[in-house]
Amino acid sequence: MAIVDVRFLHTLPYFQEFSLTELARIGSQVHQRNFEANEMIYLAEQPVEAFYVVRHGRARVFESSAEGKEQVLFVVGQGATFNDAAVFDGGPNLASAQAIDPGAVLYVLPASLMARLAATDLRVTSAAIRTLASRARHLATLAADLSLQHLTQRVAKLLLEESRPAGGVTLTKQEIGTRVGTVREVVSRELRRLEQIGTITRGRDGIVQVDRRALNALLGSPEIAVTSPEERLAYLIAS
């Protein structure tokens, strides 16, 4: 069994106020799991078993319908925790989780361990409140985006969030669709639209290069802040 990096645990919001000696005792109850790309971590509605920390790679937490449509709630990378809420309220898993990258590594903390710490240690309780409040803010923003923003704006916002320093985005159309609440065919249309107005370019390698200034203008330039999404597009075409 792989040895858990106690110093890494010390960087997590839940354990930053713990001594390394205390964390060594906690770490003895933690185990490491390795995942392949797209491997399921857990399923929604199943009994909660653990609290997860991303050591390497990324994972996505998502909802899915009976028809197979998916909506990604959030993507987590190194140092992020997930399945917190289900562990602390004692109910089933609230959503499903899946590894994204090949060789993803997670630390698995038993639900019983985290529930006991949250009930007996104010440091963990306080961190749980802050973490879950932040998660609630994220989900509120996601709900507002899905219900109030035009689809073109949702795609533009995601491309900005996922772009690398050089401006490249490597998400597939399917991945974009699950993040913005639509299907890949509609994503193709939106990418063509963004390309036509000069906010992105697409290469044969599938990488999308973004013009951050143009996408930010689409999302809320002061000159066009009070216009509709369609008028914003017309503004960008004309400018």
Side-chain angles (χ1 to χ4, degrees), residues 94-114:
L94 296 175
S96 299
Q98 183 180 37
I100 295 176
D101 302 316
V105 178
L106 303 182
Y107 281 176
V108 182
L109 289 73
S112 58
L113 167 65
M114 291 305 298

Side-chain angles (χ1 to χ4, degrees), residues 22-42:
E22 289 175 304
L23 284 177
R25 290 196 294 269
I26 292 172
S28 67
Q29 303 174 67
V30 178
H31 67 275
Q32 176 179 303
R33 286 185 61 190
N34 300 333
F35 290 84
E36 298 300 324
N38 303 318
E39 184 177 350
M40 294 301 301
I41 301 167
Y42 59 78

Side-chain angles (χ1 to χ4, degrees), residues 43-156:
L43 295 174
E45 301 302 325
Q46 289 186 339
V48 63
E49 295 182 349
F51 169 103
Y52 298 88
V53 181
V54 181
R55 183 67 181 91
H56 296 295
R58 295 175 300 154
R60 67 186 191 116
V61 178
F62 65 98
E63 293 275 11
S64 56
S65 68
E67 295 76 26
K69 184 178 180 181
E70 295 181 354
Q71 174 62 55
V72 172
L73 303 179
F74 45 89
V75 171
V76 289
Q78 182 172 317
T81 62
F82 59 103
N83 217 31
D84 318 44
V87 165
F88 295 138
D89 76 4
N93 299 325
L94 296 175
S96 299
Q98 183 180 37
I100 295 176
D101 302 316
V105 178
L106 303 182
Y107 281 176
V108 182
L109 289 73
S112 58
L113 167 65
M114 291 305 298
R116 183 174 70 253
L117 288 172
T120 60
D121 195 307
L122 185 59
R123 294 170 294 181
V124 174
T125 307
S126 299
I129 292 171
R130 293 192 298 270
T131 300
L132 295 178
S134 176
R135 197 69 49 76
R137 285 182 180 275
H138 168 81
L139 293 176
T141 299
L142 176 63
D145 286 349
L146 291 174
S147 60
L148 301 176
Q149 278 198 332
H150 188 275
L151 180 58
T152 305
Q153 293 172 292
R154 301 205 300 271
V155 173

Side-chain angles (χ1 to χ4, degrees), residues 186-197:
V186 177
V187 169
S188 294
R189 183 193 69 198
E190 294 301 328
L191 291 176
R192 283 197 301 272
R193 178 179 296 178
L194 290 171
E195 190 168 34
Q196 287 169 355
I197 62 176

